Amino acid sequence: MNKRIGRFEIIRELGRGAQSVVYLARDPHLQRQVAIKTLHFSRPDPQQDRRLLEEARLVSQLRHPSIVPIFEAGDEQGDLYLVFQYVPGKNLAEYLQQSGALTPAKAIGIMQPILEAISHAHAAGIIHRDLKPSNILIDDDGVPRVMDFGIATRAEGVSNDGGQLVGTPAYMAPEYISQRTSSESSDVFSAGLVLYELLIGQRAVPGSDIQQVMRTIADEDIRLPPEASHTLDEKLAHLLYQALARDPQNRYASAAQMRQALDDYLQPESLTAPADARQSTIEFLLRRMRHKSDFPALSESVGAINRITASENQSIADVSNTILKDFSLTNKILRMVNSVHYRQAGGGTISTVSRAVVVLGLDAVRSIAITVMLFEHLQNKDNANQLKDEFLRANLAGVLAREISSKGATRGDLEQVFICSMFHNLGRLLSQYYFPEESAEIRRVVLQKECSEEAAALQVLGLSFEDLGIGIAETWGFPKLLVNSMHKLPAGSIRRPATAEDRLRMVASLSNELCTVIVDSAPEQQQKELQRIVTRFGDVIQLDEQELRRTVARSFEQVTQLAGTMHINLQQTRLGKQIRVWRGTATVGGPASEARTTKDEAENGLAGTVLSDIAPEAAACERIAEGGYISPVDAEAASEAILMAGIQDVSNALVSEFKVNDVLRIIVETIYRAKGFKRVILCIRDGRSNTMLGRFGFGPDAAEIARRFKFSLVFTPDIFHAALTNGVDILISDTNDPKITTRIPLWFRKAVTAQTFVVFPLCIKGSPLAMIYADREQAGEIVISEKELSLLRTLRNQAVLAVKQSI
């Protein structure tokens, strides 16, 4: 080791990296200790050296208590070196090795000055580009100091490093990995990775395989491990996820904004100065709910679907992709949309989420998806029977509302009525799930004090079910129209609603009051209670008692069918027993009465028979959805079943009025689901530029990957032109096979990491019009049987037909 670097006397080595060594040294001129970082590159590059020296001069002008300043820079025997203030202590990586995961308060306390430092640098036009724990020093007083802005870049415009990587792969932003672009937002992403490490005690993306680490960051959303739900609440998780959003547009706009979000988390306004007792109680209950392991997941999923459907740029692909991430959820939704109620609207069997959205609309599919998710979270609990009762009761309210409003209403109106009525009593459902003891106490208070349910809830919970439901609905991002419909109507006769919004609220209240009558009324009270409802709503709803009874009877049939679809034994629920009472086939109480079952009840699932309109050939799909074992033979059968159902789906669409994009989306989704591809992309020819352009797809980052599919149709001897020019389907089992590796174009290798893919060209009169691409990650993972290939080609031909009909 040299004794000197420039005029500086080396004392000892402090640490080293792949291209650098850090020394403790003494400045003989100013009689002080300094830290010197030497930079050694494998190939001499005078231009790079000049750039780094210019950046070092810029960074040396930064003055902030949380930034380790650069004193000077120079070169020694062709290697650059930077001279920093020496800060006694240890770096954050070493600190975390000793401490492990930190509490949220302590982690945020460290992040705040770090973000202040980054914000100060950004204001001066400087991006760090290598923010990581080893570049953050913790001094002897415990104060974090950011260092090593030596590879920073100017923030004027966007930097582009071409093919050269600058920084540490595990802390790079997705856009830098995929596009070699970095900006202030890239530092925000890196700050999110540092925060993750502070909270969890380990890197967000572990591993020694650099390429795999970078692929994970570029292609997958970073999420907290399941065990973190016990220590981190939902709000902090959302804060972290916003910093780690792969799309820079979805991150915090600046480091300063992220710092403010952390400040707000530690001292939220609602806790320091609550606006009223109701809001304070909602916050208290929300905190309790967050400790339940599945509330954050449920909240995040519901919120995501609500955000998509509320967006001005509503996208069928966005909704479908969100649902398709969960195979089990997908199958349960398709079961539900093919139930008796929805089948009529769909004009036949619906076998893809994309067609469900086209036929039923975004709002309806949102309702179904959230309903299924709620039900999934309500199962397997100690109070499961009570929860299923509440779930069925909510759905009965929606069905009643739809039946009452069906005369003269459009499909869209009926779906709004159903959704608003189903979620009208969301507070009671959530209370039963998250606070079962308090819910039991509420029922006891109602019986003992003969008071209303809302008054009892106010006494036990500190707020009514109505306020609880509205508070959670607002937290989940439900539309304002739906939230407003959750407000109860005042006592007495109901006046004619002045607006469509008032009518939704009125119908939601009517259906839920009728539900209460059905569930709580003894047989001798039925007539009196129905007459009361007719009197209360008679001025606005043209229903007499007899018509109301017929409406109730029709609704019972639909709820019975729903129970079978959701695999609920209706006879074991309180609602199921009350349905028998209203039908006059049993009396309340007594083992003998409960043992009697009519043929009608057996056919409708009331005797414990599970109804399912899943076709026998789809049984394998069900086993996959439920996590059961499936043999290769069954897997092939499942694939064929999905493909055949998709072909029927497309056929139904083609014989009706259709948009070509909707049909193509159904085809692409069918292929995606059938074969378990990682992603499926549809490309369309652009006639003006004579290029093939990716349009949309399914799978991780499908939209981003589709944008990378762009190549000229001027012939070159590669795989894609061979498929398109000759109109042949091509399966590449291994992109690294020496026999074909030269035929894989460079644009493709930059676009995806998949090692196996299949291409189905869409040609008209020998001219390529479009292309369906599907892939898997590892070589050899795509195996297509002769029957599957025939069905896939049928789907491809349907796509050609759809395009022909649209021209």
Side-chain angles (χ1 to χ4, degrees):
M1 181 178 71
N2 293 333
K3 297 296 184 181
R4 287 180 178 270
I5 295 178
R7 72 171 188 273
F8 302 96
E9 302 168 355
I10 302 300
I11 299 174
R12 68 174 187 274
E13 182 179 313
L14 294 175
R16 62 174 55 221
Q19 295 177 327
S20 63
V21 181
V22 181
Y23 299 100
L24 174 64
R26 179 176 176 274
D27 183 346
H29 288 180
L30 299 177
Q31 297 293 306
R32 63 181 177 183
Q33 289 187 335
V34 294
I36 298 181
K37 182 171 188 174
T38 62
L39 302 173
H40 176 75
F41 302 105
S42 56
R43 291 180 298 176
D45 189 340
Q47 184 177 356
Q48 177 179 253
D49 291 349
R50 284 195 298 273
R51 178 177 62 81
L52 286 170
L53 283 172
E54 289 173 2
E55 292 173 356
R57 281 193 285 269
L58 292 171
V59 175
S60 69
Q61 299 171 24
L62 295 177
R63 293 292 182 269
H64 190 277
S66 292
I67 293 178
V68 178
I70 293 179
F71 290 153
E72 58 182 277
D75 69 85
E76 179 79 9
Q77 298 179 358
D79 288 343
L80 289 175
Y81 67 86
L82 305 173
V83 182
F84 296 90
Q85 176 188 2
Y86 172 59
V87 179
K90 61 188 69 174
N91 66 46
L92 185 56
E94 297 167 333
Y95 181 87
L96 285 172
Q97 283 180 353
Q98 295 178 1
S99 67
L102 305 179
T103 64
K106 192 164 186 177
I108 292 172
I110 290 176
M111 282 303 302
Q112 287 168 323
I114 293 172
L115 290 168
E116 287 178 0
I118 297 299
S119 182
H120 177 79
H122 289 175
I126 296 170
I127 302 168
H128 192 289
R129 290 207 300 176
D130 196 25
L131 186 65
K132 58 184 178 181
S134 59
N135 280 337
I136 299 166
L137 299 178
I138 305 295
D139 66 22
D140 289 340
D141 295 324
V143 177
R145 310 275 299 277
V146 182
M147 66 171 293
D148 207 359
F149 283 85
I151 60 169
T153 187
R154 295 291 293 176
E156 297 170 359
V158 179
S159 73
N160 193 315
D161 301 304
Q164 181 185 10
L165 280 170
V166 178
T168 305
Y171 298 92
M172 289 175 178
E175 65 272 16
Y176 183 68
I177 292 172
S178 59
Q179 303 169 31
R180 299 296 188 269
T181 59
S182 56
S183 64
E184 295 177 6
S185 186
S186 305
D187 280 350
V188 171
F189 185 88
S190 298
L193 292 171
V194 173
L195 177 57
Y196 181 106
E197 202 157 333
L198 290 169
L199 293 169
I200 304 303
Q202 61 185 23
R203 270 174 28 192
V205 186
S208 57
D209 185 333
I210 293 176
Q211 294 300 321
Q212 182 58 48
V213 167
M214 291 195 295
R215 281 197 297 269
T216 299
I217 292 176
D219 298 340
E220 298 178 17
D221 291 330
I222 294 175
R223 288 293 179 262
L224 292 164
E227 59 269 19
S229 62
H230 298 298
T231 56
L232 303 182
D233 64 29
E234 182 193 21
K235 184 176 180 181
L236 182 56
H238 278 299
L239 185 155
L240 178 64
Y241 292 157
Q242 185 169 346
L244 294 174
R246 277 182 292 154
D247 185 346
Q249 299 297 318
N250 294 332
R251 290 177 209 148
Y252 294 106
S254 65
Q257 189 183 81
M258 183 177 173
R259 160 69 200 259
Q260 185 61 53
L262 291 172
D263 292 347
D264 292 343
Y265 173 79
L266 288 181
Q267 294 183 325
E269 293 180 7
S270 60
L271 293 182
T272 56
D276 53 41
R278 169 186 171 275
Q279 185 60 35
S280 180
T281 304
I282 289 175
E283 288 293 335
F284 170 72
L285 293 175
L286 268 172
R287 288 196 297 275
R288 286 182 59 188
M289 293 165 75
R290 286 170 188 141
H291 285 293
K292 302 280 186 175
S293 60
D294 47 357
F295 181 75
L298 175 62
S299 181
E300 185 177 344
S301 300
V302 173
I305 291 178
N306 277 323
R307 283 192 297 274
I308 291 170
T309 54
S311 170
E312 293 181 359
N313 302 312
Q314 290 180 344
S315 166
I316 294 174
D318 287 342
V319 175
S320 301
N321 264 320
T322 300
I323 293 170
L324 286 166
K325 288 178 182 177
D326 186 330
F327 191 82
S328 176
L329 176 64
T330 299
N331 280 277
K332 288 181 172 66
I333 286 176
L334 292 178
R335 247 195 350 232
M336 198 165 177
V337 300
N338 285 294
S339 61
V340 170
H341 167 70
Y342 288 104
R343 187 180 294 134
Q344 185 177 5
T349 301
I350 297 173
S351 62
T352 58
V353 177
S354 297
R355 178 150 175 80
V357 175
V358 170
V359 172
L360 304 175
L362 282 168
D363 285 340
V365 173
R366 176 191 64 191
S367 166
I368 295 167
I370 295 175
T371 298
V372 173
M373 284 189 295
L374 276 170
F375 178 70
E376 289 298 290
H377 282 271
L378 298 181
Q379 295 190 91
N380 303 320
K381 298 294 175 184
D382 293 337
N383 57 339
N385 288 336
Q386 186 68 40
L387 287 167
K388 289 175 182 178
D389 253 318
E390 294 292 347
F391 173 80
L392 289 172
R393 179 170 173 168
N395 277 274
L396 175 59
V399 171
L400 284 166
R402 192 162 45 203
E403 285 291 328
I404 291 169
S405 303
S406 60
K407 295 180 180 178
T410 65
R411 180 77 198 174
D413 294 336
L414 291 180
E415 290 313 323
Q416 279 190 329
V417 163
F418 178 85
I419 295 167
C420 291
S421 300
M422 188 179 70
F423 289 111
H424 187 71
N425 275 316
L426 178 63
R428 182 174 56 222
L429 179 64
L430 292 173
S431 174
Q432 182 60 51
Y433 176 58
Y434 289 106
F435 316 122
E437 296 83 4
E438 287 87 344
S439 294
E441 177 64 12
I442 289 169
R443 290 191 292 273
R444 187 187 65 79
V445 170
V446 169
L447 292 174
Q448 287 189 348
K449 298 189 176 182
E450 297 185 350
C451 62
S452 70
E453 188 178 60
E454 292 295 278
L458 186 62
Q459 175 182 323
V460 176
L461 291 176
L463 80 171
S464 64
F465 284 152
E466 177 185 344
D467 285 340
L468 174 62
I470 290 172
I472 301 303
E474 290 173 341
T475 300
W476 280 347
F478 276 130
K480 183 179 178 181
L481 182 75
L482 196 158
V483 174
N484 288 340
S485 72
M486 296 170 72
H487 291 280
K488 301 291 190 293
L489 293 176
S493 297
I494 304 302
R495 293 180 297 180
R496 188 171 297 276
T499 65
E501 186 174 307
D502 289 341
R503 177 173 175 78
L504 281 174
R505 179 186 172 196
M506 182 269 296
V507 175
S509 291
L510 166 58
S511 63
N512 277 274
E513 288 183 29
L514 189 53
C515 252
T516 300
V517 169
I518 292 169
V519 173
D520 295 339
S521 297
E524 62 273 14
Q525 297 175 308
Q526 288 181 11
Q527 185 174 1
K528 177 182 176 182
E529 290 299 323
L530 288 178
Q531 288 175 345
R532 180 185 63 78
I533 286 181
V534 168
T535 301
R536 175 165 157 78
F537 292 90
D539 292 340
V540 291
I541 297 290
Q542 301 303 313
L543 286 176
D544 57 22
E545 184 184 337
Q546 290 305 311
E547 179 58 31
L548 200 57
R549 284 186 177 275
R550 286 192 289 270
T551 298
V552 169
R554 290 194 299 271
S555 300
F556 285 166
E557 296 300 325
Q558 293 188 42
V559 171
T560 299
Q561 199 277 337
L562 170 70
T565 299
M566 301 303 291
H567 294 177
I568 298 174
N569 187 336
L570 191 58
Q571 189 182 13
Q572 293 179 355
T573 67
R574 183 183 179 195
L575 179 61
K577 294 170 184 176
Q578 283 296 95
I579 287 176
R580 295 174 65 191
V581 171
W582 279 72
R583 282 174 166 169
T585 58
T587 57
V588 177
S593 65
E594 292 186 10
R596 290 199 300 269
T597 304
T598 67
K599 179 177 181 294
D600 175 66
E601 288 170 330
E603 291 174 349
N604 285 290
L606 290 173
T609 302
V610 174
L611 289 178
S612 176
D613 42 24
I614 299 293
E617 64 269 19
C621 299
E622 269 301 283
R623 289 206 293 283
I624 294 173
E626 302 299 338
Y629 166 76
I630 179 167
S631 69
V633 174
D634 282 343
E636 187 175 316
S639 171
E640 293 174 6
I642 293 173
L643 290 169
M644 287 188 289
I647 290 168
Q648 184 60 51
D649 229 0
V650 176
S651 299
N652 291 338
L654 288 174
V655 298
S656 59
E657 293 185 10
F658 70 91
K659 295 180 180 178
V660 65
N661 278 345
D662 293 341
V663 173
L664 293 175
R665 189 170 282 108
I666 293 169
I667 291 169
V668 172
E669 183 194 327
T670 299
I671 295 172
Y672 174 71
R673 290 185 57 229
K675 289 297 294 176
F677 291 115
K678 180 174 182 179
R679 62 181 69 85
V680 179
I681 305 291
L682 175 75
C683 301
I684 301 291
R685 176 183 178 180
D686 179 40
R688 290 174 298 181
S689 61
N690 195 33
T691 57
M692 192 65 72
L693 302 176
R695 290 287 296 274
F696 63 82
F698 292 96
D701 290 334
E704 174 61 31
I705 298 296
R707 285 193 287 270
R708 300 177 194 169
F709 272 65
K710 180 179 180 180
F711 61 91
S712 172
L713 287 173
V714 176
F715 182 81
T716 56
D718 64 35
I719 291 297
F720 294 94
H721 285 91
L724 293 167
T725 302
N726 300 309
V728 295
D729 309 321
I730 292 181
L731 167 62
I732 302 300
S733 295
D734 185 357
T735 58
N736 296 317
D737 187 330
K739 295 178 182 178
I740 58 93
T741 186
T742 58
R743 306 288 298 275
I744 306 298
L746 181 60
W747 69 262
F748 174 80
R749 292 198 183 275
K750 290 182 177 180
V752 295
T753 58
Q755 295 178 6
T756 179
F757 65 87
V758 61
V759 175
F760 294 99
L762 278 65
C763 301
I764 295 181
K765 295 181 179 179
S767 177
L769 182 71
M771 175 185 86
I772 298 174
Y773 160 90
D775 67 27
R776 294 286 295 271
E777 197 64 27
Q778 302 299 322
E781 285 188 325
I782 299 179
V783 178
I784 301 175
S785 69
E786 189 174 330
K787 179 66 177 295
E788 289 173 324
L789 180 60
S790 174
L791 295 171
L792 287 166
R793 285 172 170 165
T794 299
L795 280 168
R796 186 263 312 280
N797 294 337
Q798 286 182 317
V800 173
L801 179 61
V803 174
K804 278 184 176 180
Q805 290 185 20
S806 68
I807 297 177

